Amino acid sequence: MQYRKKLSRKQFCAFMAQQEPSLVIFEACGSAHYWAREMQALSHEVRLIAPQYVRPFVKRQKNDAADAEAIVIAARQPEMRFVQPKTIEQQSRAAVFRGRERLVHQRTADVNALRALLYEHGHVFPAGIRHLNRMTTLLEDETSDLPVLIREEGKDLRAQIAEKTACITERTAKLNNYRLTPVGSAMCCSRY
């Protein structure tokens, strides 16, 4: 069966609940894994296609109807590779992992800001968080040539770095405590 209906999210779920179990194909976008689980709960078989495999089949301007048509054409290709839908647990771990990665990037920016601040006052430190203790020692040294305002600004940056480090450690522990076998690419947290 083929339909050309515009449905809201709620209507779509109700509509699919009334259909015989069938193959449902989605483009693997932000909510695709959620919808895959919803369709599987309704006894439908679900396949997800990565957006880069759908794009070549969009014939005209990008809109929902053109995308839907492109997804159908892409799914019919014999060599098409599909994305495995993620479970709630896998999606949750991925969210924690992305949050952790975001914090690592923010902490790196803060460490670089601290290095730059000290560099502006003649104190050179190599790149990397492993030199943070040396920078902290300089900030806490009341006899150093750093102006009071620079020392205070540096200590504030140091506090932000410490806060982010604590959050990173917490998220790393969460990821290690809830270790699941991921479907798809493996996640690695041992870099930091």
Side-chain angles (χ1 to χ4, degrees):
M1 290 184 138
Q2 187 179 32
Y3 299 94
R4 289 188 182 265
K5 291 184 173 196
K6 193 166 187 164
L7 303 170
S8 70
R9 294 172 190 276
K10 204 176 223 182
Q11 291 170 332
F12 177 67
C13 229
F15 174 78
M16 292 305 291
Q18 296 171 358
Q19 305 306 309
E20 291 292 321
S22 56
L23 175 62
V24 181
I25 301 173
F26 294 104
E27 185 174 5
C29 64
S31 64
H33 296 283
Y34 164 79
W35 283 109
R37 289 190 301 270
E38 291 292 309
M39 294 301 106
Q40 287 170 338
L42 297 173
S43 300
H44 295 291
E45 180 186 347
V46 178
R47 293 197 185 147
L48 304 178
I49 301 177
Q52 67 264 27
Y53 297 137
V54 174
R55 204 169 298 121
F57 298 100
V58 178
K59 293 178 184 172
R60 52 193 184 281
Q61 73 227 31
K62 186 163 174 55
N63 58 44
D64 289 345
D67 284 352
E69 186 177 329
I71 291 167
V72 169
I73 294 168
R76 290 180 178 160
Q77 303 307 304
E79 71 281 356
M80 184 52 60
R81 291 183 291 178
F82 297 96
V83 176
Q84 181 71 28
K86 292 181 181 147
T87 65
I88 291 173
E89 292 80 16
Q90 289 167 331
Q91 240 183 321
S92 298
R93 275 182 50 85
V96 173
F97 182 77
R98 285 191 309 270
R100 183 189 175 284
E101 288 295 294
R102 187 174 54 253
L103 285 165
V104 168
H105 291 296
Q106 291 170 356
R107 180 181 69 180
T108 300
D110 289 346
V111 170
N112 289 338
L114 179 57
R115 281 182 54 243
L117 181 69
L118 296 174
Y119 181 68
E120 290 173 2
H121 293 277
H123 298 279
V124 180
F125 293 92
I129 196 165
R130 64 186 166 277
H131 304 288
L132 187 59
N133 289 338
R134 288 180 45 215
M135 290 185 266
T136 301
T137 301
L138 176 64
L139 291 170
E140 292 173 351
D141 182 2
E142 300 293 329
T143 63
S144 75
D145 62 344
L146 291 174
V148 173
L149 286 175
I150 296 303
R151 203 175 359 249
E152 288 174 358
E153 184 64 22
K155 286 179 180 179
D156 183 55
L157 277 168
R158 181 63 184 96
Q160 291 176 45
I161 293 165
E163 183 180 327
K164 287 180 180 77
T165 298
C167 291
I168 291 165
T169 302
E170 177 188 323
R171 281 176 172 76
T172 301
K174 275 184 190 177
L175 289 168
N176 289 334
N177 289 336
Y178 296 101
R179 188 168 304 284
L180 295 173
T181 305
V183 174
S185 64
M187 291 185 276
C188 175
C189 305
S190 60
R191 276 187 6 207
Y192 303 99

